[in-house]
């Protein structure tokens, strides 16, 4: 819900730097292909390459037609402040340094990534997050149609960039790889889903309560 409210608050805002070329832009995940060489495990490397291939085939052609605005672009758990007295309430949002002009659905996909799948359907936590978002900001059918590809693309970005940074900056290895176990687990679980099944799951399970 808080991410949807932030999106509404940012609607109409613009800044010349919002068009900057940012490495963490989901739309440009294909540009990180050279970083695949830094992923040591061949199976993981092939999995990330499949994600990028699918993104280019199914999501990239759709993205230019989607509604866009300036978005936060890094809504992970480290950038959210919770109310100490009411831990279920978000009291603040941090780190606006990655803000860009991008499709609104990309911002939602980033937030959904960090709802790590545990038991049950691998998209269940993300679908609950999307349902909360839609209670404030309903999504268009085209946006839901590529959400699965966007989520996987963000995971691929994390895997590629973190692996590259770990090799380039050994002193920061532990920090840049702090989420890599969750990333690989998520990618592996999502790898077993077809885009059609994922789309249907979001359509059926992300309706606002």
């Amino acid at each position: 819900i808080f991410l949807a409210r932030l999106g509404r608050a940012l609607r109409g805002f613009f800044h010349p730097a919002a068009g900057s070329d940012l490495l963490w832009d989901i739309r440009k995940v294909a540009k990180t292909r050279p970083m695949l060489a830094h992923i040591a495990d061949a199976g993981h490397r092939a999995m990330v390459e499949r994600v990028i291939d699918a993104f280019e085939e199914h999501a990239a052609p759709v993205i230019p037609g989607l509604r866009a605005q300036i978005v936060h672009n890094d809504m992970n758990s480290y950038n959210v402040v919770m109310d100490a007295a009411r831990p279920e309430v978000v009291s603040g949002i941090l780190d606006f340094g990655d803000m860009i002009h991008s499709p609104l659905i990309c911002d939602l996909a980033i937030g959904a990534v960090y709802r790590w799948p545990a038991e049950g359907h691998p998209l269940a936590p993300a679908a609950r997050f999307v349902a909360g978002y839609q209670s404030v900001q309903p999504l268009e059918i085209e946006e839901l149609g590529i959400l699965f590809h966007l989520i996987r693309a963000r995971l691929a970005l994390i895997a590629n960039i973190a692996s590259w940074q770990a090799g380039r900056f050994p002193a920061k290895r532990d920090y840049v790889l702090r989420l890599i176990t969750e990333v690989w687990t998520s990618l592996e679980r999502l790898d077993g889903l077809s885009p059609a099944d994922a789309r249907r799951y979001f359509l059926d399970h992300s309706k606002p309560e």
Side-chain angles (χ1 to χ4, degrees):
I1 292 176
F2 67 90
L3 183 58
R5 289 175 177 166
L6 176 61
R8 285 196 165 186
L10 290 171
R11 189 181 299 167
F13 171 72
F14 191 74
H15 189 280
S20 300
D21 188 13
L22 185 70
L23 186 61
W24 286 101
D25 186 343
I26 288 180
R27 297 170 296 176
K28 299 173 182 177
V29 63
K31 287 189 174 182
T32 66
R33 279 188 190 273
M35 296 178 184
L36 284 164
H38 296 273
I39 298 176
D41 184 88
H44 285 165
R45 196 162 55 246
M47 183 167 55
V48 171
E49 191 154 26
R50 287 196 298 274
V51 169
I52 297 175
D53 289 343
F55 176 88
E56 288 193 292
E57 180 178 356
H58 300 290
V62 177
I63 284 175
L66 301 180
R67 54 183 170 170
Q69 63 172 70
I70 288 183
V71 298
H72 183 276
N73 198 50
D74 193 18
M75 193 54 65
N76 65 69
S77 55
Y78 291 92
N79 289 335
V80 178
V81 180
M82 309 305 293
D83 190 312
R86 296 177 298 165
E88 75 282 0
V89 176
V90 175
S91 61
I93 297 170
L94 307 175
D95 192 359
F96 289 79
D98 283 352
M99 292 178 74
I100 55 172
H101 189 272
S102 175
L104 200 59
I105 190 64
C106 291
D107 209 32
L108 174 59
I110 292 167
V113 160
Y114 299 95
R115 275 63 200 168
W116 308 112
E119 297 179 356
H121 196 284
L123 289 177
R128 289 193 293 271
F129 186 72
V130 175
Y133 186 96
Q134 290 208 94
S135 69
V136 175
Q137 178 62 67
L139 296 173
E140 298 173 353
I141 192 69
E142 294 83 5
E143 293 170 328
L144 276 172
I146 64 166
L147 181 56
F148 175 65
H149 293 293
L150 293 173
I151 288 173
R152 294 205 306 163
R154 174 68 176 195
L155 288 165
L157 272 180
I158 299 172
N160 276 347
I161 295 173
S163 299
W164 168 69
Q165 288 179 330
R168 188 175 182 185
F169 307 107
K172 296 183 178 180
R173 180 180 177 84
D174 289 345
Y175 173 74
V176 299
L177 294 178
R178 67 193 184 282
L179 298 177
I180 201 66
T181 299
E182 290 87 349
V183 167
W184 290 131
T185 299
S186 294
L187 280 169
E188 287 165 357
R189 295 199 67 196
L190 296 178
D191 196 46
L193 287 178
S194 73
D197 287 343
R199 178 179 181 275
R200 173 51 54 190
Y201 188 87
F202 277 128
L203 287 171
D204 291 343
H205 295 87
S206 64
K207 299 172 184 176
E209 298 179 358

